Amino acid sequence: MAAVTGRASRLVVVLFASLCIVLGLLASAPSASAHGGTYELSVSPDGAGGLTVLGHYGEDQHVVEEIMDPIATATSADGRTAGPVSLVSSSEGQGVWVTAEPFIPVGDWTVTVSTTVPSAVSVTAEVTVAEPAAPVEAKPVANPKTAAPGVTTWLWFIAGAVAIGVAVLWLVLARAKRQRA
């Protein structure tokens, strides 16, 4: 009888110790606001004639959380120009800026993105905008009764495993409580 109580106590101690370790690691992580040095911009095409720009600090690679004012211009090898275009903050997260609409035609371009806020930074990148691909032909949808197990199956499996774990823990703790009474 005492063995069940001892096991339950050890389980509670192990769970509490694990929680303390996780909280200690989170508390000791360096603060995201402790940045040093200047920030940098990374430019990539969005595949349709627009741009995505990421702002991050050079020393620690943390995202630039401050408001920026990125402006993009593009020049082709044959002298054509596109822009200037102001980028807008993306809903994809802090430090991500995008062009509201495509502005670079098909071809090879040298793109420069510059900001003046929070400080003056500029980056130049080579970008290729390709012809849009032909539409993909629709394929028939598999019969759900014969298809391989999908995400829903795994979710039910995980939910069942969690439910069994909770039930076993409840039984162990209930038995330990009865033993004490």
Side-chain angles (χ1 to χ4, degrees):
M1 292 185 196
V4 173
T5 304
R7 285 186 198 151
S9 296
R10 283 192 296 268
L11 178 62
V12 169
V13 169
V14 168
L15 290 174
F16 182 75
S18 299
L19 178 64
C20 289
I21 290 170
V22 169
L23 291 175
L25 289 173
L26 291 174
S28 66
S31 172
S33 62
H35 306 296
T38 60
Y39 69 95
E40 301 171 356
L41 302 174
S42 301
V43 177
S44 59
D46 69 0
L51 299 173
T52 300
V53 175
L54 304 174
H56 55 88
Y57 288 93
E59 287 185 22
D60 60 14
Q61 299 302 306
H62 286 145
V63 171
V64 175
E65 296 175 358
E66 291 86 358
I67 298 295
M68 297 190 307
D69 64 346
I71 296 179
T73 57
T75 305
S76 69
D78 63 8
R80 294 178 292 152
T81 60
V85 173
S86 294
L87 280 75
V88 296
S89 181
S90 172
S91 62
E92 298 298 316
Q94 290 182 320
V96 181
W97 296 79
V98 296
T99 51
E101 295 180 4
F103 78 104
I104 307 172
V106 173
D108 294 323
W109 297 83
T110 300
V111 175
T112 300
V113 177
S114 301
T115 66
T116 59
V117 175
S119 61
V121 176
S122 184
V123 65
T124 300
E126 300 299 320
V127 172
T128 299
V129 179
E131 288 283 342
V136 177
E137 198 172 303
K139 294 181 181 181
V141 177
N143 181 348
K145 293 181 181 177
T146 61
V151 174
T152 305
T153 302
W154 285 107
L155 289 175
W156 279 111
F157 177 76
I158 292 169
V162 168
I164 290 170
V166 168
V168 168
L169 180 61
W170 180 77
L171 287 172
V172 168
L173 293 175
R175 184 176 292 175
K177 184 176 180 181
R178 272 189 259 135
Q179 296 296 334
R180 281 188 234 137

